[in-house]
Amino acid sequence: MTASDEKTTFPAKHSEYARMREMLRSNSSLTLGAGGADFVAVPDEVAEILDSVLSVLENGDAVAVSHRSQSLTTQQAAETLAISRPTLIKYLEQGEIPYEMRGRHRRVLLRDVLDFQSRNRIRRRERLDAMEDDVDDYRPVRDAGFSETR
């Protein structure tokens, strides 16, 4: 599968997605085999991907699988983060995301982009929680200073 190839799968009407997910989540080791041939152990990361795919299909949504190389261009990294390329460049120059120069071009590791995304989500959640606490501190007591008119 090349970087531009994408495979989309639509859910089947009568499927056993829930049963397959239960099997994936069991603590026993998962193996894969075909027609009495040798069996191969399924790695944990593959089982996690299968679980995610089955969850989406179980909800009736389609799943698209595409290839991502380990090293991304700034445009690919920006698309992964759903931000503009200039915003990504700002984060790179501020040291938020490590990068390396290859000639005149910046390259970013996918792992670093995903780490940044995770850190950003955590920071955003913490800020929202703090804002919610602040609002609770300043919220007036219900109906304080008001009198009933009816």
Side-chain angles (χ1 to χ4, degrees), residues 85-119:
R85 189 177 162 281
T87 300
L88 175 78
I89 299 299
K90 179 185 81 170
Y91 288 134
L92 296 177
E93 290 175 352
Q94 290 175 348
E96 295 278 336
I97 305 172
Y99 68 96
E100 65 179 29
M101 294 296 291
R102 292 199 188 147
R104 295 181 350 168
H105 302 282
R106 295 176 183 92
R107 292 294 182 258
V108 184
L109 293 177
L110 176 60
R111 168 179 8 112
D112 293 333
V113 171
L114 297 177
D115 286 346
F116 170 78
Q117 187 177 46
S118 178
R119 286 191 318 268

Side-chain angles (χ1 to χ4, degrees), residues 54-109:
L54 290 169
S55 173
V56 171
L57 291 171
E58 189 177 19
N59 289 330
D61 294 325
V63 173
V65 177
S66 64
H67 172 266
R68 289 288 183 156
S69 63
Q70 296 289 340
S71 179
L72 305 176
T73 65
T74 53
Q75 185 60 45
Q76 291 170 324
E79 289 171 2
T80 300
L81 294 170
I83 59 176
S84 68
R85 189 177 162 281
T87 300
L88 175 78
I89 299 299
K90 179 185 81 170
Y91 288 134
L92 296 177
E93 290 175 352
Q94 290 175 348
E96 295 278 336
I97 305 172
Y99 68 96
E100 65 179 29
M101 294 296 291
R102 292 199 188 147
R104 295 181 350 168
H105 302 282
R106 295 176 183 92
R107 292 294 182 258
V108 184
L109 293 177

Side-chain angles (χ1 to χ4, degrees), residues 5-58:
D5 288 344
E6 187 173 282
K7 169 77 171 129
T8 301
T9 302
F10 297 94
K13 290 187 180 187
H14 302 288
S15 63
E16 296 189 37
Y17 297 135
R19 185 169 169 231
M20 286 187 272
R21 289 185 71 207
E22 286 176 23
M23 291 173 70
L24 284 169
R25 290 179 176 176
S26 70
N27 289 334
S28 60
S29 62
L30 189 64
T31 57
L32 183 65
D38 292 332
F39 288 90
V40 177
V42 176
D44 291 339
E45 62 272 12
V46 173
E48 288 175 20
I49 292 168
L50 287 173
D51 186 47
S52 297
V53 167
L54 290 169
S55 173
V56 171
L57 291 171
E58 189 177 19

